[in-house]
């Protein structure tokens, strides 16, 4: 761990848009100017007007409501409830950002690096040619709380919560959300999804699930695409006789808890070509895919796209649920009755 940090170098290298996103601020930039509700935890006015503005190119911000202003490092400090005038505290926050976004500065602090093009809404990262899709993460979220009431209140056991690595996140992008680790088919961690724990807080700006966004580091763009893997797919190491496919995370946890381990989810109301190929690769040629969609219009659409893409490769059996029923509504007994292979090892 580095013990020093050059504030000026770091300020020049950090991308303000990245820092804002890191703290969960949705960028709505016009040119180089982002404007929105004040995200600062100590903002003491109302939050009903977009009083906060940030100049992405210059790396500075101000809020007309609470009067806070400063550079992007001071912004980060305020987001972490650190007084920017507290040198030790500011340094700690700066080091955290350096570790995460500019680790190369740690090795060579005084090196003059080529100025990167600053990201704006218009130019965006589009200038950079190729994006890496779903690269493995080089860090893990620390301090997730597995004992939070939300998953327990939905009927999941501590074993299930531990098995899927779920935990409540109290800071950063997934603040106030249940964090769900996501793995590629090789079992490498590629990101976290975050689920709101209080459904009354779901809105257009606060979706039920949040997935990783694009990130940029040393001129490379990293992109997360949930259409390129299956949730829980990595646990099936060699093709099996029966795989159950569902739409969402909670169905995977529920079926697993009821003795059905070979369950995968597409994480959306559509099955992509890549996901269809993956499903087929997890099932023996003479095996079965059991499709269990939610009993609503979105589930119907999901089932159609799944059947179109997977049935050319494997036999698919569609287990139809009653109107407005979801896999998580089924009891262990009902699941046992539906899946005759239930007792297979
Ligand atoms: Zn403010």
């Amino acid at each position: 761990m580095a013990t020093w940090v050059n504030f000026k170098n770091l300020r020049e290298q950090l991308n303000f848009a990245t820092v804002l996103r890191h703290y969960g601020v949705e960028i709505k930039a016009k040119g180089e100017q982002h404007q929105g509700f004040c995200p600062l935890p100590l903002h003491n006015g109302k939050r009903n007007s977009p009083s906060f503005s940030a100049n992405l190119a210059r790396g500075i911000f101000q809020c007309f409501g609470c009067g806070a202003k400063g550079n992007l490092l001071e912004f980060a400090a305020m987001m972490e409830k650190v007084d920017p005038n507290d040198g030790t505290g500011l340094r700690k926050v700066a080091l955290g950002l350096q570790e995460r976004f500019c680790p190369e500065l740690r090795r060579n602090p005084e090196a003059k690096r080529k100025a990167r093009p600053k990201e704006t809404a218009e130019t965006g990262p589009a200038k950079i040619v190729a994006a890496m899709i779903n690269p493995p993460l080089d860090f893990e979220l620390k301090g997730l709380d597995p004992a939070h009431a939300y998953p327990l209140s939905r009927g999941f056991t501590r074993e299930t919560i531990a098995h899927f690595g779920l935990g409540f996140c109290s800071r950063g992008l997934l603040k106030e959300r249940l964090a769900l680790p996501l793995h590629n088919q090789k079992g490498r961690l590629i990101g976290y999804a975050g689920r709101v724990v209080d459904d009354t807080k779901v809105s257009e700006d606060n979706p039920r699930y949040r997935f990783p966004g694009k990130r940029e580091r040393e001129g490379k763009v990293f992109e997360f695409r949930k259409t390129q893997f299956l949730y829980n797919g990595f646990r099936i190491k060699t093709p099996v006789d029966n795989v159950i496919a569902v739409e969402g995370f909670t169905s995977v946890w529920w079926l697993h808890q009821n003795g059905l381990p070979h369950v995968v989810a597409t994480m959306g109301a559509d099955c992509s070509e890549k996901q269809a190929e993956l499903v087929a690769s997890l099932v023996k040629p003479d095996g079965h895919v059991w499709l269990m969609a939610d009993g609503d219009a979105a589930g119907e659409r999901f089932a159609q796209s799944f059947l179109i893409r997977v049935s050319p490769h494997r036999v698919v059996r569609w287990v139809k649920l009653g109107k407005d029923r979801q896999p998580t509504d089924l009891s262990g007994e009902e699941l046992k009755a539906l899946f005759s292979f239930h007792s297979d090892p």
Side-chain angles (χ1 to χ4, degrees):
M1 181 79 186
T3 50
W4 41 259
V5 60
N6 180 323
F7 287 138
K8 188 169 172 289
N9 263 2
L10 182 60
R11 275 209 317 273
E12 282 168 6
Q13 291 308 319
L14 276 175
N15 184 318
F16 202 9
T18 308
V19 173
L20 285 163
R21 284 199 199 94
H22 176 59
Y23 289 103
V25 180
E26 294 274 7
I27 306 287
K28 286 178 190 146
K30 290 191 184 102
E32 290 178 338
Q33 199 74 19
H34 158 80
Q35 211 144 24
F37 296 119
C38 182
L40 298 169
L42 295 179
H43 176 89
N44 55 10
K46 287 181 178 162
R47 279 184 224 257
N48 52 8
S49 69
S51 60
F52 179 89
S53 66
N55 186 312
L56 303 180
R58 293 175 62 201
I60 54 173
F61 75 95
Q62 66 174 317
C63 171
F64 297 112
C66 62
K69 62 178 179 180
N71 62 45
L72 56 89
L73 291 181
E74 290 160 336
F75 168 80
M78 290 179 203
M79 288 304 288
E80 302 199 16
K81 294 187 186 162
V82 167
D83 179 356
N85 296 317
D86 162 17
T88 316
L90 183 65
R91 194 164 150 277
K92 215 171 152 193
V93 172
L95 269 173
L97 290 173
Q98 175 168 283
E99 278 299 302
R100 190 175 172 119
F101 297 111
C102 309
E104 72 281 5
L105 290 180
R106 171 184 60 187
R107 292 188 288 274
N108 195 1
E110 304 307 329
K112 278 275 168 217
R113 299 169 76 253
K114 272 184 281 176
R116 259 184 305 150
K118 297 281 182 182
E119 186 179 336
T120 67
E122 263 80 42
T123 59
K127 277 183 187 166
I128 297 142
V129 197
M132 270 188 77
I133 309 298
N134 297 351
L137 286 193
D138 50 11
F139 66 91
E140 266 180 49
L141 285 184
K142 298 271 189 315
L144 296 178
D145 175 13
H148 190 270
Y150 171 74
L152 294 167
S153 74
R154 293 208 47 186
F156 295 107
T157 62
R158 287 183 191 277
E159 286 75 21
T160 302
I161 292 163
H163 181 79
F164 290 101
L166 314 178
F168 181 73
C169 192
S170 51
R171 52 190 305 215
L173 272 175
L174 297 183
K175 195 170 176 206
E176 304 291 312
R177 285 168 183 266
L178 184 74
L180 297 47
L182 306 170
H183 300 85
N184 64 18
Q185 193 55 38
K186 287 180 178 152
R188 297 283 305 274
L189 179 68
I190 54 172
Y192 290 85
R195 195 207 190 277
V196 166
V197 293
D198 177 356
D199 280 352
T200 63
K201 291 192 177 147
V202 172
S203 69
E204 208 170 297
D205 291 330
N206 195 37
R208 179 163 284 123
Y209 285 97
R210 179 161 279 162
F211 287 92
K214 258 188 197 171
R215 59 200 162 96
E216 195 195 323
R217 198 186 216 180
E218 296 179 57
K220 288 196 194 90
V221 173
F222 301 97
E223 217 181 307
F224 174 86
R225 286 194 202 152
K226 63 181 179 181
T227 55
Q228 299 303 298
F229 70 103
L230 293 164
Y231 181 65
N232 206 39
F234 73 99
R235 288 207 168 85
I236 306 175
K237 308 285 184 206
T238 52
V240 294
D241 290 319
N242 297 286
V243 166
I244 304 170
V246 295
E247 287 168 77
F249 303 110
T250 46
S251 300
V252 172
W253 308 336
W254 186 243
L255 269 59
H256 167 89
Q257 187 165 304
N258 284 287
L260 295 159
H262 298 149
V263 188
V264 298
T266 56
M267 300 164 284
D270 202 16
C271 174
S272 70
E273 275 301 335
K274 173 78 183 173
Q275 288 174 324
E277 278 170 31
L278 282 170
V279 169
S281 75
L282 301 178
V283 182
K284 289 181 187 167
D286 58 348
H288 289 96
V289 180
W290 303 73
L291 165 63
M292 194 149 71
D294 293 353
D296 57 11
E300 188 88 12
R301 279 197 303 277
F302 162 70
Q304 296 299 349
S305 85
F306 192 93
L307 287 166
I308 288 168
R309 298 214 159 98
V310 181
S311 31
H313 309 290
R314 291 291 183 274
V315 175
V316 182
R317 291 192 183 173
W318 183 359
V319 180
K320 281 206 172 190
L321 296 183
K323 193 173 167 356
D324 294 328
R325 291 199 94 195
Q326 298 183 357
T328 47
D329 296 330
L330 300 177
S331 69
E333 287 306 308
E334 285 175 290
L335 287 168
K336 202 173 264 183
L338 277 174
F339 300 107
S340 49
F341 58 85
H342 188 275
S343 53
D344 290 0

